[in-house]
Amino acid sequence: MRVYMDNGATTRVTEPVFAAMQPYFCEIYGNPSSVHGFGREARKAVEAARAQVAKAIGAQEREIYFTGCGTESDNWAIRGAAYANVKKGRHIITTNIEHHAVLHTCKQLEQEGFEVTYLPVDNDGLVTPEQLAAAIRPDTTLVTIMYVNNEIGTIEPIPELAAVAHEKGVLFHTDAVQAVGHVPIDVAAQGIDLLSLSGHKFHAPKGIGALYVKQGVRLQRLMQGGAQERGQRPGTENLAGIVGLGKAIELATADIPGKSAQVRAIRDHMISRILGEIPHVQLNGHPTKRVCGNINVSFYFIESESVLLHLDFKGIAASSGSACTSGSLDPSHVLLAIGVSHEHANGSVRLSLSDENTMEEADYVVDCLAEAVSRLRAMSPLYEDFLKGVETVGTDDSCHLH
Ligand code: PLP
């Protein structure tokens, strides 16, 4: 059996999305900026997709700009807003659990003379409107807080946070890359000024994203070039990608309550089996304010990389909550921010479900997880010490032991 439970990393392009894109490679291939018939056909498709994206998030069509990915949207929103508002101030507020597309952009701005406040989160990964209100200063120009955390799935109180920013006349950006298609979003009703999204997280292809920019919000453009996207984002449009994004967002947002109830039922079944059948395990992230497809669990005394290898051997794709896989021994900044110890962060696994996963797959994955954990613990010196009653949890070097 092959089971894909790494939908937080990326998703499969579904058949209807692929079918919608297919004509835009070999048949309809004009440059949307060309004035001839070939170009006009392409332009029509781009504008139809823009309307689909706008409708899906409660925006107007002219407020949607296509980009190359979620990372580009984040960079553009944050740097664009920071540069456009330097006359007012150079202070930005974010959280310490953002994706690196946001955190590294903020770090770069700090090197350029901006000041950034990184709000801490509680043990579930939540930041509060009160915390935000206390951090806003007269020179604050932008608040950027993610909608859904990519590692632990926690859903931030975005409308309340945006309201606080607006009360103080500050722009509000949200990285909604992990939220679109899973959480109902209405930018107008929720008071969002800037919103980043990325197609490959909801069954569109990789390499296509969008930025919502509320009418009247000034952003500096980051690239110089042609007049595409109303002069704000130059570069010939990714025609087929844009068509795929439009179709995928339409499908993903057609029935969010129904789809998320289905995914949540499977997810909750897995969580209750994992917590009930595997000893010495903890669930990371908020128990209920959590995106429907996310599971993040720490297995004590073992390392996530070994669990992932076992799962891979069984045909299962999951991912590690720790950054050890990326060649660094640093545990995930998100898990540390919510108070998970280094050891437990290094034993964390993220399973991210989509609406394509089944109950049968869920049971298979939990069975394989239980087997992997018990095999690895049988070889784990930490577990042996624990059984002997030696206190090992709480030291901070388990990542270096194997
Ligand atoms: N923001 C979040 C929360 C993400 O999870 C990701 C991707 O994992 C990104 C931004 C970056 O998106 P992209 O891969 O399209 O650049």
Side-chain angles (χ1 to χ4, degrees):
M1 197 175 196
R2 290 188 82 214
V3 181
Y4 188 75
M5 283 204 186
D6 201 11
N7 291 279
T10 197
T11 58
R12 189 176 83 89
V13 172
T14 53
E15 284 74 12
V17 173
F18 186 53
M21 293 172 66
Q22 241 174 344
Y24 294 90
F25 290 99
C26 307
E27 294 152 47
I28 306 169
Y29 51 82
N31 187 322
S33 300
S34 300
V35 292
H36 46 60
F38 289 68
R40 287 199 304 275
E41 269 182 307
R43 164 64 49 206
K44 210 171 137 195
V46 169
E47 296 315 318
R50 198 186 310 282
Q52 287 168 312
V53 175
K55 184 163 178 241
I57 61 167
Q60 299 172 46
E61 290 164 34
R62 62 177 180 275
E63 296 174 319
I64 304 298
Y65 295 86
F66 292 113
T67 64
C69 54
T71 301
E72 184 191 334
S73 299
D74 284 340
N75 270 261
W76 185 17
I78 298 166
R79 292 171 59 201
Y83 298 150
N85 290 289
V86 280
K87 279 197 185 125
K88 184 191 170 200
R90 288 176 166 263
H91 180 234
I92 295 165
I93 300 172
T94 187
T95 75
N96 60 2
I97 59 162
E98 301 293 315
H99 188 271
H100 285 141
V102 169
L103 285 180
H104 290 174
T105 302
C106 288
K107 290 280 171 218
Q108 191 193 23
L109 285 171
E110 282 183 291
Q111 284 169 9
E112 295 172 20
F114 288 83
E115 252 189 275
V116 182
T117 297
Y118 299 88
L119 296 175
V121 294
D122 69 12
N123 290 342
D124 293 326
L126 282 174
V127 61
T128 65
E130 293 73 27
Q131 274 177 283
L132 176 59
I136 294 179
R137 314 189 313 210
D139 61 341
T140 308
T141 55
L142 177 72
V143 172
T144 171
I145 296 181
M146 68 199 322
Y147 213 126
V148 167
N149 183 270
N150 47 303
E151 293 189 34
I152 54 174
T154 299
I155 303 171
E156 300 297 338
I158 293 302
E160 292 80 1
L161 294 165
V164 168
H166 285 166
E167 259 168 45
K168 311 237 178 172
V170 176
L171 286 175
F172 188 84
H173 167 247
T174 185
D175 171 348
V177 167
Q178 296 284 347
V180 171
H182 311 297
V183 177
I185 295 178
D186 184 325
V187 285
Q190 296 173 355
I192 297 164
D193 298 307
L194 297 155
L195 178 143
S196 304
L197 61 90
S198 178
H200 74 107
K201 307 294 187 181
F202 50 85
H203 302 300
K206 294 148 194 60
I208 183 69
L211 179 65
Y212 154 78
V213 183
K214 188 181 173 175
Q215 182 79 8
V217 168
R218 280 186 317 116
L219 274 197
Q220 186 166 312
R221 73 183 208 176
L222 298 187
M223 288 198 292
Q224 308 308 316
Q228 290 90 352
E229 297 299 279
R230 280 147 288 145
Q232 299 310 302
R233 199 280 188 177
T236 301
E237 296 87 342
N238 172 3
L239 177 59
I242 287 172
V243 170
L245 177 69
K247 184 69 182 173
I249 204 166
E250 185 180 88
L251 294 172
T253 55
D255 177 22
I256 291 178
K259 191 188 68 175
S260 54
Q262 172 205 323
V263 176
R264 194 177 296 113
I266 299 177
R267 192 271 313 267
D268 289 349
H269 171 73
M270 290 182 75
I271 291 178
S272 79
R273 274 200 63 196
I274 292 169
L275 299 183
E277 295 173 28
I278 305 177
H280 312 300
V281 56
Q282 73 181 39
L283 180 69
N284 301 315
H286 199 284
T288 54
K289 290 176 187 162
R290 184 183 198 103
V291 75
C292 57
N294 176 283
I295 301 175
N296 187 311
V297 274
S298 287
F299 300 104
Y300 301 176
F301 317 115
I302 55 176
E303 288 187 6
S304 47
E305 283 67 47
S306 317
V307 178
L308 294 182
L309 283 175
H310 271 71
L311 293 181
D312 188 31
F313 186 70
K314 298 278 186 181
I316 299 164
S319 67
S320 157
S322 120
C324 282
T325 40
S326 53
S328 137
L329 291 177
D330 298 334
S332 141
H333 68 284
V334 175
L335 295 178
L336 295 186
I338 61 169
V340 176
S341 68
H342 277 59
E343 295 73 25
H344 296 167
N346 286 327
S348 74
V349 170
R350 180 187 71 175
L351 296 154
S352 39
L353 286 71
S354 82
D355 51 334
E356 300 202 311
N357 289 118
T358 63
M359 207 50 116
E360 191 195 354
E361 289 178 339
D363 280 323
Y364 174 68
V365 170
V366 178
D367 291 344
C368 292
L369 257 180
E371 186 193 315
V373 170
S374 87
R375 276 190 190 198
L376 290 166
R377 283 192 182 146
M379 301 184 295
S380 158
L382 290 171
Y383 191 53
E384 204 179 316
D385 286 349
F386 168 77
L387 291 179
K388 282 191 214 140
V390 177
E391 181 58 66
T392 52
V393 180
T395 59
D396 67 354
D397 57 359
S398 69
C399 194
H400 307 262
L401 288 178
H402 304 279

